[in-house]
Amino acid sequence: MLLFMLVLSLVAQACSASPTTQQPNKKADQHLKSIFILAGQSNMAGRGGVVNDTTTGIATWDGVVPPECRPNPSVFRLNVNLTWVKASEPLHADIDVEKTNGIGPGMAFAKAVLANHSSTVGQIGLVPCAIGGTNITEWRRGSFLYNQMIRRAKASLQNGGSIRALLWYQGESDTASREDALSYKNRLETFFGDVRLDLQSPDLPIIQVALASGYEATLIEIVREAQLGVDLLNVRTVDAKGLPLEPDGVHLTAPAQVELGKMLADAYLQFLPSAISNAPATYPNYVFQFVLYLLLKFLTTS
């Protein structure tokens, strides 16, 4: 009964509170920060331009930054110390510290959004959270990576701004095990629901990337089918299949990351009419979905 009352309390909170993505700053655009969370594994962190020396086995980044990924005065990133700094590649250099980082989709995404809607989004704040080689179970609620992502996301709001979307690219590691591949859809949808719950944003736009690569061909298709089969409100999927890969056959090249960033931007721009307006006709649908998620959590844990 106590758990049920807690669920009802959370439902009431969800219905009464304004969502994170529907609170645009009323000040001038230069004071508005549109915040995007970048999470997942290596292809979100970025390995474009990273090559492995076949002699030494040491991975190095070639240092080449495409024009679409060069710094922009309106694009910032939250560094490891939770401080906003001018964004520059590699975005995840101080986050995914155990690996060599290169070009990812984040900068190309941000600059493509600005090119189309600078007056709407104002400044862009990127919150890098991706860690290479991680299985989706390592992102479950309560895990180190999950808690770190939520902590960084909440810290990004301290000086104002709104979290506009989660950009998620993960799943390659789940193609190494049939059990993981078959469980992926349920784990993924649970993860999306948990993020929305903990950020108190039931309609948070989420843009995920369907895999371009992995380890076992049949399992790649199972995970891709799971990703493409997600049918949650305000979740969109862009398909990376066919984008050029580095010689390792797993990581996207720098030009591919630029293309992916533009694809993510196109997907996000489709959210703008509903995601940053106060449209009363659409918001109840998101609240209803959020309520269902909470009730399902209650039923499966009671």
Side-chain angles (χ1 to χ4, degrees):
M1 177 59 71
L2 181 60
L3 181 58
F4 181 69
M5 293 302 294
L6 176 60
V7 171
L8 289 180
S9 174
L10 290 172
V11 169
Q13 182 182 18
C15 293
S16 62
S18 297
T20 305
T21 55
Q22 292 190 338
Q23 297 178 4
N25 195 318
K26 298 301 182 182
K27 297 179 182 179
D29 287 336
Q30 60 265 30
H31 300 298
L32 170 66
K33 185 177 270 87
S34 293
I35 299 168
F36 298 90
I37 304 168
L38 312 178
Q41 54 183 109
S42 56
N43 272 318
M44 177 57 78
R47 301 292 187 264
V50 174
V51 294
N52 285 304
D53 189 306
T54 56
T55 303
T56 64
I58 298 175
T60 57
W61 176 45
D62 62 16
V64 177
V65 180
E68 298 90 342
C69 302
R70 292 172 188 166
N72 180 293
S74 294
V75 182
F76 299 83
R77 75 175 183 92
L78 195 71
N79 70 13
V80 69
N81 297 317
L82 306 181
T83 300
W84 287 114
V85 297
K86 188 175 181 180
S88 62
E89 296 285 9
L91 290 177
H92 282 76
D94 59 350
I95 302 298
D96 192 12
V97 295
E98 299 297 323
K99 305 290 176 62
T100 301
N101 294 274
I103 302 299
M107 283 297 293
F109 163 81
K111 293 180 72 173
V113 170
L114 283 174
N116 287 276
H117 274 273
S118 60
S119 62
T120 302
V121 300
Q123 295 177 335
I124 287 182
L126 302 174
V127 183
C129 299
I131 300 294
T134 51
N135 186 286
I136 197 169
T137 58
E138 297 177 76
W139 292 89
R140 67 186 181 278
R141 193 181 191 197
S143 68
F144 172 79
L145 292 181
Y146 182 89
N147 289 343
Q148 176 175 259
M149 176 185 65
I150 296 299
R151 176 177 63 88
R152 287 177 56 75
K154 290 181 177 180
S156 73
L157 297 169
Q158 289 181 355
N159 295 320
S162 300
I163 297 177
R164 299 300 190 191
L166 163 67
L167 308 185
W168 175 254
Y169 190 172
Q170 189 279 332
E172 292 93 344
S173 291
D174 296 85
T175 66
S177 160
R178 185 170 184 81
E179 178 184 356
D180 287 338
L182 292 173
S183 302
Y184 192 81
K185 189 170 189 289
N186 180 62
R187 291 170 176 173
L188 181 65
E189 292 180 344
T190 298
F191 169 76
F192 289 161
D194 286 339
V195 171
R196 285 172 163 172
L197 175 64
D198 287 326
L199 293 181
Q200 298 183 0
S201 182
D203 67 333
L204 177 70
I206 297 173
I207 307 171
Q208 64 160 338
V209 181
L211 295 184
S213 59
Y215 299 104
E216 170 59 46
T218 57
L219 302 186
I220 292 172
E221 290 309 310
I222 291 174
V223 171
R224 279 179 47 80
E225 183 178 343
Q227 293 169 328
L228 295 168
V230 170
D231 186 23
L232 300 176
L233 288 171
N234 246 18
V235 175
R236 296 184 186 274
T237 305
V238 300
D239 197 346
K241 187 174 183 178
L243 291 178
L245 300 174
E246 295 286 1
D248 62 13
V250 175
H251 298 111
L252 298 182
T253 64
Q257 289 284 19
V258 170
E259 180 62 24
L260 178 60
K262 294 177 180 179
M263 292 164 63
L264 289 166
D266 287 343
Y268 171 68
L269 293 174
Q270 294 177 41
F271 281 116
L272 287 184
S274 60
I276 64 172
S277 67
N278 294 313
T282 58
Y283 179 60
N285 292 329
Y286 304 132
V287 174
F288 177 69
Q289 182 188 10
F290 189 60
V291 169
L292 286 179
Y293 169 75
L294 291 174
L295 291 176
L296 285 173
K297 293 279 282 191
F298 166 71
L299 292 173
T300 55
T301 57
S302 60

